[in-house]
């Protein structure tokens, strides 16, 4: 009896009955869409260690270069221009790892669409690469007292070029294997590094022109990414069979 | 012991044990409210079951704005009000007294003391919203702003309902006592 | 629930993999029999929304699946013929990863994955890396992942490939148990896997639906065309080239052959009840003979 003179003692059987019914409902409950954050964290968990290794390697090599080379804007630009391809070496292979690992069919029939998963990977891979590039530029800028703004384009332009090349080649040659993806990345990185160095074109390009190249490559990259996302939304295993 | 918001988060993730804990935590209070509102134990148990099943259906869309207990009481109040709307209340104060005199064990009867019996019959004479406000305030210790949230009114209205209900109860008590 | 395939066609240049395939599915197990290259996998991919048809459409309760999108995929479970995994995935990682992609909240996912791994006999191996799994184990985990979201439409492409007889028997039992309230479409070229569990059998040849009937009546098409006869040893090779032979058994002096032929092949031939294997061989050998 409580202070009001009542005797309201719950019946354990009724409680059990409610719990059982409620849990049955929970079993049958159709899942809502996975929250974006949960999907992001999940994809982040399964990002290839190789991606992280290349970021770390680039950072280490950069630090070594910065501490051993003579200070100068030109040297700073060269270092960043060389670091960018290394950082982005596994960007596109990681993006399309479901195709390279034969997981795309399994992933693309899930409630969370292939395009959603791809978007998460774009955010993660792009975010990691751009963050590390920014960090490297900041390190060089800080260590050598060179303006950050003067340097960042020399990191972002080769990054854009490499991504554009990789995305284009993935579609053109319909890369489906891990070895193909890796080979493509290495070749693209070599092309981005080697050709400008051989032709000496780097030294001839003004800062203003670099700015223009950055904007142009950025627009092309955005266009490619949007195209891929649109293809992922429509029927078909991404670009590999779409007509 | 995890708090209500943690339990709700776990339930949304499919944790059945969290649902078990939540039900056990709030069942006595909700049952008591329904009993006081309806005046019949068996009906109150059925309605309490409805409350929790409605809760589990609503919980996936529930966003923690205000206290969870208020949310639960809102469901309970609405469930009881729906019950009254669908059926003419079968019980009068006499029925409650009959139940109390049924000779059942203390665990079976809703109310035991004479004063409590009298209080219940006087409560039942009040308008629904005043009765509900009084039950929530005096039996469940809720403040006017919580009652306002549950009843979907402004706090001033909730306060007014409590006051008016109390005034009527006092008057009825005096009349019964011949004062 | 009704899944309708309406004149579905898939062409790659001059080659037509699926040719105007039409069929309707309600609850039950549908066995799609066909030789390699008959278009089964292409058809299944289109039904799963993985491949864009050249023509035709797939409808669920009247709505094209291309429009239904997520609400269709919610009901779908699929086991592809070949699938991979990310490196360093354990069996548990694999299941939980796909459970999250299928929208299951964390606790529900854990409960469901444990239950399914137990069903396919892999609960004890769940912490092992997938690269250490045998072919049969990989196939079993493939079946398990197809059931994570308790699908109403289950598409299984060659689900028993790589399984030993005991595993195949277990698989048949699992599928039989699941078919109530579900559409199960499984493709295979192993007749014995579906002979006892399929409600409906469909034969696919050259991208087309060649024959469809309930499993009780599918063999009516070759009723009176299957013969048992005894043939001298030296004539076996000759008989084998002239007729479709579904089975032969050597006895002491001669060979007992099971022949599929519209006309009675020999005087001593006795007509026997055809089975699904006879039908399959008849369909696919007949094309070659022509």
């Amino acid at each position: 009896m409580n202070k009001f003179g009542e005797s309201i003692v719950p019946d354990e059987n009724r409680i059990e009955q409610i719990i059982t019914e409620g849990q049955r409902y929970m079993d049958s409950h159709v899942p809502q869409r996975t929250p974006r954050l949960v999907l992001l964290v999940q994809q982040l968990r399964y990002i290839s260690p190789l991606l992280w290794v290349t970021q770390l390697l680039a950072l280490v090599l950069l630090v070594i270069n910065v501490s051993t080379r003579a200070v100068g804007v030109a040297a700073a630009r060269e270092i960043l221009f060389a670091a960018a391809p290394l950082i982005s070496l596994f960007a596109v292979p990681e993006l399309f790892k479901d195709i390279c690992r034969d997981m795309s069919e399994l992933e693309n029939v899930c409630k969370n669409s292939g395009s959603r998963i791809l978007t998460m990977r774009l955010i993660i891979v792009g975010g990691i690469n751009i963050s590390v590039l920014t960090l490297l530029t900041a390190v060089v800028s800080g260590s050598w007292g060179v303006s950050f703004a003067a340097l960042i384009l020399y990191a972002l332009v080769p990054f854009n070029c490499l991504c554009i090349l990789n995305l284009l080649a993935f579609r053109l040659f319909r890369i489906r294997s891990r070895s193909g993806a890796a080979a493509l990345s290495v070749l693209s990185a070599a092309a981005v590094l080697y050709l400008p160095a051989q032709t000496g074109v780097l030294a001839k390009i003004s800062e203003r022109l670099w700015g223009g190249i950055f904007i142009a490559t950025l627009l092309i990259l955005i266009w490619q990414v949007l195209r891929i996302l649109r293809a992922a939304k429509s029927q078909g295993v991404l670009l590999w069979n779409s007509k | 012991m995890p708090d209500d918001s943690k339990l709700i988060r776990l339930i949304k993730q499919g944790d059945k044990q969290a649902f078990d804990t939540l039900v056990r935590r709030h069942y006595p209070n909700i049952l008591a409210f329904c009993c006081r509102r309806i005046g019949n134990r068996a009906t109150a148990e059925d309605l309490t079951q409805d409350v929790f099943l409605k809760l589990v259906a609503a919980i996936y869309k529930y966003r923690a704005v205000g206290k969870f207990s208020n949310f639960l009481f809102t469901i309970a109040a609405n469930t009881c009000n729906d019950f009254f709307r669908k059926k003419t209340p079968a019980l009068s104060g006499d029925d409650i007294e009959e139940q109390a005199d049924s000779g059942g064990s203390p665990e079976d009867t809703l109310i035991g003391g004479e004063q409590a019996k009298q209080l219940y019959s006087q409560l039942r004479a009040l308008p629904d919203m005043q009765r509900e406000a009084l039950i929530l305030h005096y039996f469940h210790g809720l403040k006017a702003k919580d009652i306002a949230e549950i009843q979907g009114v402004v706090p001033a209205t909730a306060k007014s309902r409590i006051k008016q209900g109390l005034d009527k109860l006092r008057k009825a008590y005096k009349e019964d006592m011949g004062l | 629930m009704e899944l309708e395939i309406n004149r579905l066609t898939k062409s790659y240049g001059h080659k037509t993999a699926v040719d105007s395939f039409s069929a309707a599915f309600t609850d039950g197990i549908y066995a799609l029999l066909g030789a390699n290259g008959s278009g089964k996998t292409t058809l299944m991919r289109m039904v799963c929304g993985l491949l864009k048809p050249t023509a035709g459409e797939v409808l669920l309760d009247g709505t094209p699946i291309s429009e239904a999108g997520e609400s269709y995929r919610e009901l779908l479970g699929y086991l592809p013929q070949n699938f991979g995994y990310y490196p360093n995935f354990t069996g548990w990682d694999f299941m939980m990863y796909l459970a999250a992609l299928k929208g299951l909240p964390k606790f529900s996912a854990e409960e469901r994955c444990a239950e399914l791994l137990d069903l396919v006999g892999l609960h004890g191996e769940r912490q092992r890396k997938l690269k250490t799994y045998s072919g049969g184990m990989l196939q079993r985990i493939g079946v398990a992942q197809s059931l994570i979201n308790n699908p109403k439409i289950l598409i299984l492409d060659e689900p028993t490939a790589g399984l030993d007889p005991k595993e195949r028997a277990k698989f048949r039992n699992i599928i039989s148990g699941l078919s109530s309230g579900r559409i199960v479409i499984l493709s295979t070229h192993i007749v014995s896997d579906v002979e006892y569990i399929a409600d409906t059998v469909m034969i696919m040849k050259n991208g087309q639906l060649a024959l469809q009937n309930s499993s009780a009546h599918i063999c009516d098409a070759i009723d009176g065309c299957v013969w048992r006869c005894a043939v001298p040893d030296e004539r076996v090779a000759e008989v084998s080239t002239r007729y479709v032979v579904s089975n032969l058994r050597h006895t002491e002096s001669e060979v007992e052959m099971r022949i599929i032929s519209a006309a009675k092949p020999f005087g001593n031939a006795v007509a026997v009840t055809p089975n699904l294997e006879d039908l399959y061989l008849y369909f696919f050998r007949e094309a070659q003979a022509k």
Side-chain angles (χ1 to χ4, degrees):
Chain A
M1 197 84 60
N2 64 19
K3 63 179 180 181
F4 305 110
E6 298 163 323
S7 177
I8 310 175
V9 178
D11 178 355
E12 181 60 28
N13 289 334
R14 292 302 296 247
I15 295 177
E16 289 287 343
Q17 193 181 348
I18 289 171
I19 291 169
T20 306
E21 286 273 340
Q23 288 175 343
R24 201 175 294 143
Y25 179 88
M26 286 170 74
D27 277 337
S28 69
H29 174 72
V30 175
Q32 300 292 314
R33 248 189 178 192
T34 310
R36 283 195 189 95
L37 188 61
V38 171
L39 210 54
L40 195 75
V41 167
Q42 191 215 33
Q43 289 298 315
L44 192 63
R45 229 184 115 206
Y46 293 111
I47 286 291
S48 166
L50 278 174
L51 194 79
W52 299 111
V53 163
T54 48
Q55 313 303 298
L56 197 60
L57 195 62
L59 189 62
V60 165
L61 287 173
L62 183 120
V63 167
I64 292 170
N65 264 285
V66 160
S67 44
T68 54
R69 282 180 71 163
V71 175
V73 173
R77 285 172 179 169
E78 273 174 31
I79 289 170
L80 287 170
F81 198 89
L86 178 61
I87 283 163
S88 45
L89 200 59
F90 291 106
V92 172
E94 190 61 24
L95 205 59
F96 294 124
K97 66 181 179 183
D98 59 323
I99 291 167
C100 297
R101 300 281 182 185
D102 281 329
M103 280 284 287
S104 59
E105 284 190 282
L106 291 178
E107 288 188 2
N108 279 285
V109 293
C110 291
K111 182 185 168 85
N112 285 288
S113 65
S115 69
R116 243 187 143 213
I117 301 164
L118 190 61
T119 306
M120 292 301 139
R121 285 199 196 126
L122 273 165
I123 292 169
I124 292 168
V125 172
I128 291 170
N129 285 170
I130 291 169
S131 302
V132 173
L133 281 173
T134 309
L135 175 67
L136 295 187
T137 310
V139 166
V140 174
S141 165
S143 304
W144 286 0
V146 181
S147 154
F148 180 88
L151 292 179
I152 189 70
L153 291 181
Y154 292 87
L156 291 177
V157 167
F159 170 75
N160 287 354
C161 292
L162 190 69
C163 292
I164 289 167
L165 269 176
N166 275 347
L167 288 173
L168 188 66
F170 249 81
R171 180 176 166 82
L172 268 178
F173 302 120
R174 304 197 165 209
I175 307 283
R176 291 192 72 92
S177 69
R178 291 189 324 255
S179 47
L184 174 68
S185 268
V186 168
L187 282 171
S188 319
V192 167
L193 280 172
Y194 182 74
L195 288 173
Q198 285 304 300
T199 57
V201 74
L202 276 188
K204 294 169 190 164
I205 299 176
S206 68
E207 265 191 42
R208 186 172 266 190
L209 191 54
W210 266 118
I213 293 171
F214 168 68
I215 290 168
T217 53
L218 183 65
L219 288 172
I220 294 170
L221 188 59
I222 289 170
W223 171 73
Q224 273 186 317
V225 163
L226 288 174
R227 212 160 146 238
I228 289 166
L229 286 174
R230 204 169 48 234
K233 271 198 172 131
S234 67
Q235 255 177 314
V237 182
L238 290 179
L239 318 160
W240 275 251
N241 82 316
S242 55
K243 295 275 183 236
Chain B
M1 267 297 222
D3 64 12
D4 287 342
S5 56
K6 177 89 195 274
L7 287 174
I8 289 161
R9 230 179 5 258
L10 291 170
I11 291 168
K12 285 182 183 182
Q13 289 173 10
D15 187 348
K16 290 178 188 167
Q17 189 53 46
F19 180 71
D20 185 302
T21 307
L22 194 73
V23 170
R24 288 182 193 281
R25 181 179 291 175
H26 292 284
Y27 184 89
N29 225 4
I30 299 299
L31 176 66
F33 172 78
C34 291
C35 284
R36 289 159 188 155
R37 229 15 212 103
I38 306 296
N40 177 282
R41 169 80 186 222
T43 310
E45 280 180 336
D46 290 342
L47 293 180
T48 306
Q49 180 161 334
D50 285 348
V51 167
F52 282 99
L53 295 182
K54 283 176 186 171
L55 170 68
V56 78
I59 212 158
Y60 294 95
K61 291 195 173 119
Y62 172 74
R63 292 280 172 268
V65 176
K67 293 180 197 165
F68 170 73
S69 55
N70 289 355
F71 175 70
L72 196 52
F73 268 116
T74 306
I75 299 175
N78 290 339
T79 303
C80 292
N81 291 334
D82 287 345
F83 169 76
F84 283 122
R85 261 194 292 277
K86 282 175 194 163
K87 299 179 183 196
T88 311
L91 299 172
S92 63
D94 294 333
D95 290 332
I96 295 166
E97 287 170 27
E98 274 175 25
Q99 201 172 23
D101 290 335
S102 65
S105 64
E107 292 75 39
D108 293 340
T109 52
L110 176 62
I111 40 175
E114 271 301 315
Q115 276 194 324
K117 269 192 267 182
Q118 198 170 25
L119 174 65
Y120 263 82
S121 72
Q122 285 159 359
L123 262 176
R124 286 203 63 77
L126 292 177
D128 275 354
M129 288 294 110
Q130 286 177 9
R131 181 165 74 247
E132 189 174 273
L134 279 177
I135 289 171
L136 288 170
H137 185 62
Y138 286 105
F139 287 93
H140 295 277
L142 297 186
K143 297 195 173 78
K145 71 173 174 59
D146 294 323
I147 296 167
E149 200 182 308
I150 291 163
Q151 292 189 327
V153 297
V154 297
T157 306
K159 273 185 195 160
S160 162
R161 284 176 180 172
I162 295 167
K163 186 177 181 308
Q164 285 176 18
L166 204 55
D167 287 344
K168 281 179 187 154
L169 270 185
R170 280 200 194 102
K171 190 176 166 191
Y173 180 75
K174 280 178 184 168
E175 280 172 10
D176 281 352
M177 292 287 113
L179 299 171
Chain C
M1 182 173 56
E2 187 190 59
L3 184 71
E4 191 191 334
I5 298 177
N6 193 7
R7 288 204 283 260
L8 211 57
T9 303
K10 183 66 183 174
S11 303
Y12 297 98
H14 298 298
K15 182 177 168 0
T16 303
V18 175
D19 188 1
S20 206
F21 190 106
S22 293
F25 303 85
T26 53
D27 291 356
I29 301 178
Y30 295 80
L32 189 63
L33 283 180
N36 291 328
S38 55
K40 303 190 298 294
T41 296
T42 308
L43 177 72
M44 290 188 146
R45 280 179 173 163
M46 287 193 283
V47 171
C48 290
L50 291 172
L51 220 54
K52 200 178 199 167
T54 310
E57 58 185 353
V58 181
L59 303 130
L60 180 67
D61 293 331
T63 305
I65 61 168
S66 53
E67 283 170 28
E70 187 178 310
S71 58
Y72 177 67
R73 290 195 303 275
E74 216 168 70
L75 303 171
L76 198 57
Y78 176 52
L79 172 63
Q81 196 171 13
N82 297 301
F83 64 91
Y85 44 83
Y86 295 127
N88 299 319
F89 258 17
T90 61
W92 184 251
D93 287 338
F94 180 78
M95 293 290 286
M96 287 297 289
Y97 177 78
L98 289 170
L101 292 186
K102 287 174 195 270
L104 267 72
K106 184 178 163 228
F107 286 92
S108 307
E110 283 174 356
E111 202 178 305
R112 187 79 180 133
C113 292
E115 187 190 315
L116 288 170
L117 285 170
D118 194 42
L119 181 71
V120 299
L122 287 174
H123 194 260
E125 319 296 330
R126 68 194 184 283
Q127 297 302 346
R128 276 175 54 185
K129 297 239 162 68
L130 285 177
K131 58 188 171 199
T132 66
Y133 278 26
S134 67
M137 290 166 80
L138 281 172
Q139 199 65 10
R140 281 191 275 155
I141 207 169
V143 171
Q145 67 75 33
S146 71
L147 298 169
I148 284 173
N149 58 326
N150 197 16
K152 292 281 172 264
I153 302 167
L154 188 57
I155 314 278
L156 307 166
D157 195 354
E158 306 278 358
T160 55
L163 300 184
D164 65 36
K166 190 173 149 194
E167 287 164 337
R168 278 164 49 197
K170 178 148 189 185
F171 165 79
R172 286 197 294 271
N173 293 339
I174 292 170
I175 297 302
S176 280
L178 290 172
S179 63
S180 161
R182 242 181 270 266
I183 296 171
V184 180
I185 305 172
L186 61 95
S187 80
T188 184
H189 55 266
I190 304 170
V191 168
S192 56
D193 284 340
V194 296
E195 204 157 15
Y196 299 107
I197 62 168
D199 301 309
T200 306
V201 177
M202 302 165 129
I203 304 228
M204 194 166 178
K205 195 163 78 163
N206 299 325
Q208 293 178 326
L209 180 62
L211 186 67
Q212 175 181 349
N213 210 328
S214 65
S215 55
H217 295 288
I218 188 78
C219 297
D220 291 355
I222 54 166
D223 203 17
C225 298
V226 182
W227 310 89
R228 192 180 69 234
C229 43
V231 171
D233 216 347
E234 59 273 14
R235 287 198 63 201
V236 167
E238 180 221 328
V239 170
S240 298
T241 54
R242 278 174 60 198
Y243 297 101
V244 178
V245 177
S246 72
N247 205 355
L248 58 82
R249 188 169 69 95
H250 287 266
T251 58
E252 276 181 22
S253 54
E254 53 195 6
V255 178
E256 192 178 281
M257 295 181 91
R258 190 180 172 96
I259 288 171
I260 303 149
S261 167
K264 191 171 178 179
F266 307 107
N268 67 356
V270 173
V272 291
T273 310
N275 60 33
L276 198 53
E277 189 158 355
D278 297 328
L279 181 73
Y280 183 92
L281 289 168
Y282 180 73
F283 256 92
F284 293 101
R285 175 66 188 272
E286 191 193 40
Q288 277 181 353
K290 278 182 184 166

